[in-house]
Amino acid sequence: MASSRTESRTLCFSLLPCLLLFALFTPTSSSARTLPSDSGKVSLALYYESLCPYSANFIVNYLVKLFEDDLISIVDLKLSPWGNAKLRSNDTFSCQHGPSECLLNTVEACAIKIWPALNDHFPFIYCIESLVYEHKYPQWESCYEKLGLDSKPIAECYSSGLGKELELQYAAETSALQPPHQYVPWVVVDGLPIYEDYENFLTYVCNAYNGTAALKACSKLSLNTIQKASTKSTLSVGCNEGKMPALFGRIRSTLISWMRQMNMAIWI
């Protein structure tokens, strides 16, 4: 075991110059980046669209894990429901999956505004995305009754035009991303996108965290996580309007995933 660890470290150091050179020629810094949190927590941003099946799957089956083992206590989570929507003339916009997606993007934006605490708006968004995942999104209004919420604030936000203003703000945030998003879900940890490896975002969160509050929860990310990462397909990574991710983004994602696996193997 000691020999294996030594070989892993040696391999990492031998490739370090190449990785550093690659990082230098890959744009990662800009005033438009989602910067690390100044609260001591890890900044985690999700750029998504409501009817993208990949977004729904990520929220329902992966992002929700933040609330297990209290990992949410070390994270500043920001949700941005815009995705691949397009601005048109006179501040109008169209959405990749049609008018229903524009409606639900706006509804979820209103929820974030009206119930700003994560513990208040996330259950509502999770409920909607669960219905999307189950192909039952026309029943989204049932989430009010399920969660005991008043529907009037959301309806007023949508009908008053506030929801549209919120969406335009999310449009500006998404279009200003550096590097630009290539598909959704687009996950950014402490200012850096993790590309196709977004399903393993918890490992990036744990690696970025410098405190001790979540050590027990992070230690549960073991060989099972590594095995899932090593067998993951990169042929379909998200909703991207039929465009394959940029080559450098895919290469960088592979390198980041490999380095993460090496770190995990050394820990184990």
Side-chain angles (χ1 to χ4, degrees), residues 45-109:
L46 169 62
Y47 298 86
Y48 73 103
E49 57 193 19
S50 58
L51 292 188
C52 171
Y54 296 92
S55 293
N57 176 59
F58 178 70
I59 291 171
V60 172
N61 294 313
Y62 294 90
L63 190 61
V64 71
K65 293 179 182 179
L66 275 175
F67 298 87
E68 301 172 4
D69 300 314
D70 201 31
L71 278 170
I72 193 61
S73 67
I74 68 167
V75 170
D76 277 334
L77 175 63
K78 175 180 173 57
L79 304 176
S80 184
W82 174 260
N84 296 321
K86 301 295 183 184
L87 286 173
R88 304 302 183 189
S89 59
N90 300 321
D91 286 337
T92 60
F93 48 85
S94 61
C95 297
Q96 184 175 8
H97 299 92
S100 293
E101 181 165 76
C102 285
L103 167 65
L104 291 180
N105 283 352
T106 307
V107 164
E108 294 186 11

Side-chain angles (χ1 to χ4, degrees), residues 48-254:
Y48 73 103
E49 57 193 19
S50 58
L51 292 188
C52 171
Y54 296 92
S55 293
N57 176 59
F58 178 70
I59 291 171
V60 172
N61 294 313
Y62 294 90
L63 190 61
V64 71
K65 293 179 182 179
L66 275 175
F67 298 87
E68 301 172 4
D69 300 314
D70 201 31
L71 278 170
I72 193 61
S73 67
I74 68 167
V75 170
D76 277 334
L77 175 63
K78 175 180 173 57
L79 304 176
S80 184
W82 174 260
N84 296 321
K86 301 295 183 184
L87 286 173
R88 304 302 183 189
S89 59
N90 300 321
D91 286 337
T92 60
F93 48 85
S94 61
C95 297
Q96 184 175 8
H97 299 92
S100 293
E101 181 165 76
C102 285
L103 167 65
L104 291 180
N105 283 352
T106 307
V107 164
E108 294 186 11
C110 285
I112 295 169
K113 176 67 173 180
I114 293 167
W115 304 308
L118 184 64
N119 287 338
D120 292 331
H121 66 250
F122 185 81
F124 182 70
I125 292 174
Y126 176 86
C127 180
I128 292 177
E129 294 305 316
S130 294
L131 293 173
V132 173
Y133 184 74
E134 297 169 1
H135 308 289
K136 298 177 181 178
Y137 70 86
Q139 303 173 23
W140 69 270
E141 291 181 286
S142 66
C143 291
Y144 293 123
E145 182 177 355
K146 290 177 181 177
L147 298 172
L149 298 172
D150 184 359
S151 64
K152 290 182 181 179
I154 299 292
E156 291 174 358
C157 174
Y158 184 86
S159 62
S160 68
L162 174 58
K164 178 181 176 180
E165 292 179 13
L166 295 172
E167 277 296 276
L168 292 176
Q169 292 174 19
Y170 286 124
E173 290 178 9
T174 303
S175 66
L177 281 170
Q178 290 297 332
H181 88 286
Q182 300 166 4
Y183 42 81
V184 291
W186 187 252
V187 180
V188 179
V189 178
D190 266 1
L192 299 174
I194 58 176
Y195 297 93
E196 292 97 326
D197 208 26
Y198 58 79
E199 290 182 356
N200 298 309
F201 78 101
L202 286 176
T203 300
Y204 291 87
V205 167
C206 287
N207 284 342
Y209 182 61
N210 293 320
T212 59
L215 286 181
K216 182 178 179 181
C218 288
S219 68
K220 293 183 180 180
L221 297 172
S222 60
L223 278 174
N224 187 43
T225 303
I226 295 177
Q227 290 168 354
K228 287 181 180 179
S230 64
T231 60
K232 187 179 174 210
S233 169
T234 59
L235 295 177
S236 298
V237 296
C239 296
N240 55 21
E241 300 181 302
K243 300 177 182 177
M244 290 300 291
L247 175 61
F248 284 115
R250 296 176 68 83
I251 294 173
R252 180 171 183 168
S253 175
T254 301

